[in-house]
Amino acid sequence: MLAAVLPGAVAAPPASALGDTLQVTPEVTTVQVGTAVTLTAHLTYTPIVSPLLIHFRFEGGPMAGQPDRTCTVPTGFGTGTCTVDTPAAVTAGSTLVRAWQDTRTIDEAEGRLSSASPSSAADADCTSDPNETPFSACTTGDTVTPGSAPEADTTDVVRITWRDYTLDLKPDTQDHPRSEGASLSATITASVFNAANQPAANVPVNFELFDGSVSDPGGGNTPNIPDRTCTTGGSGTCSITLTQTLDGQDYICGWVSATPPVMEGKVSTTAICAGETLADLSGEDGATFPNDPVDVARVRWGSAVPILPVVTPPPTTGPAGSGYWLVATDGGIFNFGDAAFKGSAGSIPLNQPIVGMAATPTGGGYWLVASDGGIFNYGDAAFKGSTGGIKLNKPIVGMARTPNGGGYWLVASDGGIFSFGNAVFRGSTGSMKLNQPIVGMAATPSGNGYWLVAADGGIFNFGDATFRGSTGSIKLNKPIVGMDATPSGIGYWLVATDGGIFNFGDAAFKGSTGGTPLNKPIVGMSRTSSGNGYRLVATDGGVFVFGDATFKGSTGGMKLNKPVVGMAGF
């Protein structure tokens, strides 16, 4: 709606009537989709006897293609104002609004808040500072209020960002074992957040069961006619309940967007709803991924629920002292501190290079794993099987042992999991399309779950391994190459090739080499028995210790036959 519009063309006023400085507020606005924004033009001018027309042009984003709007500053002197209301955007995005005084030439090159900025794109920054992000607040030196430091011209550029609601379904996945054919029920709670990332009330939430769901057999993917709905209350939440007497699985898509999402696929981890899959198991969509109006959840009923076997708990006491082993691609072993040498593959012709290792709970032995899944065991590390004779889709990149050392898992770069001994398969990403390859894994203290980590720091958790955070949505300086979990199993560290450390849950940051020039890249890490420290190792065998980890030696000054690829320690 136009507050004041001057119809038709206006004759050019005399020079004395022209404004000196134009500034439009607010400079930076973030509002909910469906909200109109009022823009105010502040014009400083010498006394005039005829009104001055201000033009507004919309560039990019949800307002692209909207016709220009105008408002009129009344006669007077000093500072005059007029306002226009933008349309209410129905989709998320950012639009630049360029304003100029009638009879003056529009400055097509002016950027927001800085006449020196060349950018006129819809995501133009507050200034030309490259360190600012498209959605950042204005920083020191930016003009945020009229008159504080306006550009000395009669044009201005501001930005409006419309954000959609953000939806989080909890729990992401839930299991309901059945007893003697009993009827079961499952509650799914939707949390909705507004543009300010605060709980949003009175928002309708829609739900559609994926094709193949046991609670809607043959229902198909028809989000235009939702299977369930609820409306958020004052806490920004609402719930639906499913009841089921049959065994099977339900995959559910929830959304708060104005347009029903596109759903693809049947019940599986690769079922897609507006680009969202069950792979987003963070449980923190609203707090971590704003502007995401879609989420996917899963319910498993009856015999579809895997029964978690009892795993022998880890020994109450670990190895005495402190030490660590390094392993090279030829299987050569280098031992330091109280870590005893138990043998190596350094003198054996290998079919494929070694890519990782794991130590037994006692510290009296270790396993080496090659890229074909071949296993080499030494000391009290028992051989439980390998993939050495199996044709793999992708190479093995790491391994983890069970708490009592009675088994181990191997992980491939596609996230395929191979379990041996008392290591139980809990799931994998072998059938999923990954943004980046898997580079490592860690197991929970119970042995009933594990995490996989990708090169971008994306985390995939299975069994009783709980998601605590990831770097999957962060731009990293260097790729992730490994991880380790805390003794409690409620936290983990990720390490990058520059030695940058990313800690989540109860994993405490104790330092890193992220800001240190390294001779060679980091390839792995291992925590201390207490979990109050960790070690990093580089391809030359250089070792870096943090927290209560003690330096016991390295191969950093030695000439190696092959590069180091991993470590294990206590």
Side-chain angles (χ1 to χ4, degrees):
M1 182 181 71
L2 227 56
V5 178
L6 187 63
V10 177
S16 61
L18 296 179
D20 300 317
T21 300
L22 173 66
Q23 189 169 19
V24 177
T25 59
E27 298 276 9
V28 180
T29 310
T30 300
V31 295
Q32 196 67 47
V33 165
T35 304
V37 175
T38 299
L39 297 175
T40 301
H42 303 260
L43 185 65
T44 302
Y45 54 87
T46 55
I48 60 170
V49 294
S50 59
L52 294 178
L53 196 65
I54 307 300
H55 296 259
F56 297 83
R57 178 173 297 171
F58 303 97
E59 298 180 354
M63 292 295 105
Q66 284 286 328
D68 291 357
R69 298 201 169 199
T70 59
C71 70
T72 304
V73 176
T75 59
F77 63 92
T79 299
T81 64
C82 67
T83 62
V84 296
D85 288 342
T86 70
V90 296
T91 58
S94 292
T95 291
L96 284 189
V97 183
R98 191 176 300 281
W100 71 98
Q101 181 190 319
D102 194 40
T103 75
R104 294 294 180 93
T105 302
I106 182 174
D107 184 355
E108 299 282 1
E110 182 175 352
R112 259 197 357 91
L113 297 177
S114 172
S115 57
S117 172
S119 177
S120 60
D123 62 349
D125 215 341
C126 282
T127 67
S128 56
D129 181 356
N131 294 319
E132 294 184 21
T133 61
F135 295 107
S136 66
C138 294
T139 59
T140 303
D142 290 338
T143 303
V144 294
T145 56
S148 61
E151 299 88 1
D153 56 31
T154 52
T155 66
D156 199 14
V157 183
V158 299
R159 186 189 68 221
I160 306 172
T161 297
W162 282 272
R163 286 192 178 175
D164 213 330
Y165 287 109
T166 297
L167 174 67
D168 184 21
L169 300 183
K170 293 184 179 179
D172 278 294
T173 182
Q174 54 184 301
D175 296 333
H176 296 278
R178 192 182 310 283
S179 174
E180 298 180 358
S183 176
L184 302 174
S185 63
T187 298
I188 300 171
T189 299
S191 298
V192 180
F193 304 85
N194 61 20
N197 215 23
Q198 299 298 318
N202 301 316
V203 178
V205 183
N206 299 302
F207 299 85
E208 175 72 10
L209 289 147
F210 276 93
D211 190 16
S213 292
V214 67
S215 294
D216 188 27
N221 297 334
T222 57
N224 55 313
I225 308 174
D227 293 326
R228 303 282 195 281
T229 61
C230 67
T231 301
T232 59
S235 63
T237 63
C238 65
S239 300
I240 62 168
T241 299
L242 301 176
T243 303
Q244 189 52 251
T245 59
L246 301 176
D247 293 351
Q249 297 189 75
D250 286 327
Y251 274 69
I252 306 101
C253 176
W255 71 94
V256 289
S257 53
T259 304
V262 175
M263 297 177 63
E264 304 173 70
K266 293 179 177 289
V267 168
S268 73
T269 54
T270 56
I272 301 173
C273 186
E276 188 100 359
T277 70
L278 189 65
D280 173 19
L281 298 177
S282 70
E284 295 293 344
D285 297 336
T288 309
F289 306 107
N291 208 36
D292 179 6
V294 176
D295 200 12
V296 176
R298 177 184 67 192
V299 182
R300 294 188 288 192
W301 309 97
S303 60
V305 179
I307 304 302
L308 300 182
V310 176
V311 176
T312 305
T316 55
T317 58
S322 174
Y324 45 86
W325 300 268
L326 313 183
V327 61
T329 59
D330 62 355
I333 291 289
F334 306 90
N335 57 302
F336 301 94
D338 297 311
F341 179 80
K342 298 294 183 177
S344 79
S347 60
I348 302 174
L350 302 177
N351 293 328
Q352 295 293 329
I354 300 297
V355 292
M357 72 179 303
T360 60
T362 65
Y366 41 80
W367 299 269
L368 313 183
V369 61
S371 63
D372 61 356
I375 292 290
F376 304 85
N377 55 302
Y378 302 93
D380 63 357
F383 179 80
K384 298 294 182 178
S386 77
T387 62
I390 300 174
K391 180 174 173 57
L392 302 176
N393 293 328
K394 295 291 181 179
I396 299 297
V397 292
M399 72 180 302
R401 65 161 171 83
T402 59
N404 69 345
Y408 43 80
W409 299 270
L410 311 183
V411 62
S413 63
D414 61 356
I417 292 289
F418 305 89
S419 49
F420 300 95
N422 67 347
V424 180
F425 177 81
R426 303 298 183 192
S428 78
T429 63
S431 61
M432 294 172 56
K433 179 175 174 58
L434 302 177
N435 293 329
Q436 295 290 327
I438 299 299
V439 293
M441 73 180 300
T444 62
S446 70
N448 280 325
Y450 43 79
W451 300 269
L452 311 183
V453 62
D456 60 358
I459 291 289
F460 304 88
N461 53 304
F462 301 94
D464 66 355
T466 304
F467 180 85
R468 299 293 174 179
S470 78
T471 63
S473 61
I474 301 173
K475 180 174 174 58
L476 302 176
N477 293 329
K478 296 291 181 179
I480 299 297
V481 289
M483 72 179 301
D484 208 343
T486 60
S488 68
I490 58 176
Y492 42 79
W493 300 269
L494 311 182
V495 62
T497 59
D498 61 357
I501 292 289
F502 304 88
N503 55 305
F504 302 94
D506 67 349
F509 179 79
K510 299 294 184 178
S512 76
T513 63
T516 305
L518 301 177
N519 293 329
K520 296 291 182 179
I522 299 296
V523 289
M525 71 178 300
S526 72
R527 66 163 172 85
T528 59
S529 298
S530 69
N532 291 320
Y534 43 79
R535 318 166 189 90
L536 313 182
V537 63
T539 58
D540 61 356
V543 172
F544 306 86
V545 294
F546 302 94
D548 66 357
T550 305
F551 181 78
K552 299 293 185 178
S554 77
T555 63
M558 297 172 54
K559 179 175 174 59
L560 302 178
N561 293 329
K562 295 291 182 179
V564 169
V565 290
M567 73 183 313
F570 54 88

